[in-house]
Amino acid sequence: MAAGRGHFGSRLGFVLAAAGSAVGIGNIWKFPYMTGQNGGAAFLVLYLALTFTIGLSVMLAEFAIGSAAQRNPVGAFARLKGGLWPVVGALGLLAGFVILSFYGVVAGWTIAYVVKALTGALSSNDPEQLGGIFGEFISSPIEPVAYQALFMALTVGVVLGGVHDGIERWCKVLMPALFILLLVLIVRSLTLPGAEEGIAFYLKPDFSLVTAETFNGALAQAFFSLSLGMGAMITYGSYVRKEENLATSAIWVTGLDATVAILAGLLIMPAVFAFGFNPAEGPGLSFVTLPAVFSSMPFGEVFAALFFLLLSIAALTSAVSLLEVVVAYFVDERGFGRKKAATLFGFLIFLVGVPSSLSLGVWSDFTIAGKGFLDLMDFVATNLLLPLGGFFIALFVGWVIYPRAIEEVTNRGEIAFPAARLWGFVLRFVAPIAIAWILISGL
Ligand code: PHE
């Protein structure tokens, strides 16, 4: 282990930190509205299929790269092969930077909703009123930016604490709490009068709704949700002890992430139909639907505040991994101290995120290719950079360093890995071909 680099303290710590990165507002905010916009159950099926084939394989590939190189994404490619490969790491850094810029905006909303829940501002089950509250809030020029700043400051704070005391310690407590609260809320949502229609929309696939765009959306969502394609899992893999079973860890992280996404859909979709919201409503879906669920429960405000608090925390553990990628590069390769790197880049990323927030209000007239700034950032990073990163990571591990990667996954033959051939096949052929085909036809 390179001196001075952090590392995870326990076997569980690594899995929970990686799961903390994966489970975030991607699961609870993005997944339900993507599902709503893309025809419901058919999207869910595609998303799951891509998650457990390409997603799982690329996650293990990232762990193997990180563990073999003990470096940030750029340094890892340089160490293992060099040539043009470090460019893949650099694209990952860029993706991390861009994603965190708008992620911080939406995460700020979740903090704001904790406050709104506590002050009773969300106590309504009228779709129009809740939509109005949300619309007014996100289009204001000041309030959401202030919450975004607060969230980014918290993210910097955790990253300053380092790998073991900062990242690992938080994830261990917060992930289980989120999970339990989700289960409680689902019971309420499923027992709402009129929930059946939502359940059918969510679980009965109609494949006539599937288009090339659905594929692109499902793949992008799988990568985004699993934190893949930009080196977050390379970075976390670089902090892991060699005797860790990487394949089992990858299965756990993928499984947990998919479970939380499925549960989030099971929470939101019945409520969408029960209260007469529009499933294709878009990015506001969770923020307008959930308050209606809470207002139909005893102690609704308390549950609402608690839920948005956990959501903020889930967002925090993901944001930390995004910032950590950038910080690890500047610490490993550019001689920055952790403090300086975290503060400086946390601040720069905040600044780049401000136009994303304003694009929902005062700057909404400014569009490129018909998209506002936030949508554009999201599209470029999530729909293009992540799948592209995944494409190259699969090729790299499948074709360039495969024997070395197997050594890493088996800890030089100490750990059994019966799926070795299948993994190689997916990385060499299935993932690159599928990703290329989906990207090309999606555009
Ligand atoms: N996976 C996180 C989420 O679902 C977002 C994320 C993407 C985090 C890429 C790190 C890297 O919210």
Side-chain angles (χ1 to χ4, degrees):
M1 192 93 27
R5 298 189 90 248
H7 60 88
F8 292 114
S10 68
R11 322 195 70 196
L12 191 69
F14 165 59
V15 172
L16 286 180
S21 167
V23 175
I25 42 183
N27 303 61
I28 292 162
W29 159 71
K30 208 162 186 216
F31 175 73
Y33 90 72
M34 294 280 296
T35 309
Q37 281 179 331
N38 288 288
F43 181 82
L44 174 67
V45 171
L46 271 186
Y47 160 79
L48 287 178
L50 291 168
T51 293
F52 284 100
T53 51
I54 301 177
L56 179 58
S57 305
V58 171
M59 180 171 298
L60 184 55
E62 289 205 23
F63 284 167
I65 294 175
S67 166
Q70 307 275 308
R71 274 284 174 284
N72 65 89
V74 178
F77 282 103
R79 226 181 215 203
L80 296 175
K81 188 68 192 176
L84 279 177
W85 285 106
V87 175
V88 179
L91 281 180
L93 247 64
L94 179 70
F97 196 101
V98 172
I99 291 176
L100 186 50
S101 76
F102 70 81
Y103 202 83
V105 174
V106 180
W109 301 349
T110 65
I111 303 183
Y113 265 57
V114 176
V115 178
K116 288 188 195 301
L118 286 175
T119 55
L122 303 175
S123 310
S124 160
N125 59 14
D126 172 8
E128 230 154 86
Q129 198 185 352
L130 289 168
I133 294 171
F134 179 70
E136 204 172 299
F137 165 64
I138 61 167
S139 60
S140 130
I142 313 251
E143 218 190 328
V145 176
Y147 280 107
Q148 180 206 353
L150 173 63
F151 178 81
M152 289 304 295
L154 292 171
T155 306
V156 170
V158 177
V159 172
L160 283 181
V163 176
H164 183 53
D165 294 328
I167 300 173
E168 182 174 343
R169 209 170 50 188
W170 280 89
C171 294
K172 269 193 189 163
V173 188
L174 301 166
M175 287 293 115
L178 178 69
F179 201 77
I180 293 169
L181 192 59
L182 263 181
L183 292 180
V184 173
L185 295 175
I186 286 170
V187 173
R188 170 69 276 212
S189 189
L190 287 177
T191 52
L192 285 167
E196 309 78 32
E197 216 186 316
I199 300 170
F201 175 77
Y202 188 49
L203 297 178
K204 279 209 197 115
D206 172 358
F207 288 104
S208 67
L209 299 171
V210 171
T211 61
E213 245 171 73
T214 322
F215 269 95
N216 185 266
L219 181 73
Q221 176 59 23
F223 272 91
F224 184 86
S225 186
L226 294 168
S227 306
L228 295 179
M230 43 118 348
M233 294 303 178
I234 295 181
T235 308
Y236 277 16
S238 79
Y239 298 137
V240 89
R241 291 164 195 276
K242 291 280 184 194
E243 48 301 347
E244 186 67 68
N245 188 330
L246 298 179
T248 316
S249 303
I251 291 173
W252 268 103
V253 175
T254 306
L256 284 172
D257 187 65
T259 308
V260 174
I262 294 172
L263 291 179
L266 215 48
L267 163 62
I268 309 257
M269 287 308 163
V272 165
F273 285 84
F275 290 107
F277 292 95
N278 171 11
E281 144 105 30
L285 192 63
S286 314
F287 287 91
V288 294
T289 313
L290 284 169
V293 179
F294 296 121
S295 68
S296 72
M297 301 168 67
F299 306 108
E301 286 94 347
V302 181
F303 276 108
L306 201 61
F307 181 79
F308 284 111
L309 181 67
L310 287 169
L311 193 52
S312 320
I313 294 163
L316 186 61
T317 56
S318 301
V320 160
S321 72
L322 288 159
L323 183 58
E324 180 63 27
V325 171
V326 180
V327 168
Y329 168 74
F330 282 93
V331 170
D332 285 349
E333 312 291 326
R334 303 274 154 182
F336 279 51
R338 176 168 274 275
K339 271 214 176 82
K340 179 174 157 199
T343 328
L344 177 65
F345 288 99
F347 183 66
L348 287 179
I349 291 170
F350 161 73
L351 287 184
V352 175
V354 171
S356 278
S357 184
L358 297 182
S359 75
L360 303 169
V362 285
W363 285 1
S364 59
D365 292 338
F366 173 73
T367 57
I368 300 173
K371 290 187 194 298
F373 196 74
L374 191 153
D375 289 344
L376 186 72
M377 292 292 113
D378 185 10
F379 182 81
V380 170
T382 312
N383 293 55
L384 302 180
L385 289 178
L386 295 187
L388 206 63
F391 174 82
F392 285 116
I393 288 166
L395 287 182
F396 184 69
V397 173
W399 293 101
V400 183
I401 61 154
Y402 184 67
R404 178 73 212 271
I406 287 289
E407 253 180 36
E408 214 55 49
V409 174
T410 61
N411 192 23
R412 299 179 198 281
E414 299 276 308
I415 300 168
F417 183 42
R421 280 166 163 267
L422 182 62
W423 186 50
F425 180 71
V426 172
L427 290 181
R428 278 184 206 144
F429 302 106
V430 181
I433 293 171
I435 295 172
W437 178 75
I438 290 172
L439 267 183
I440 292 166
S441 60
L443 303 174

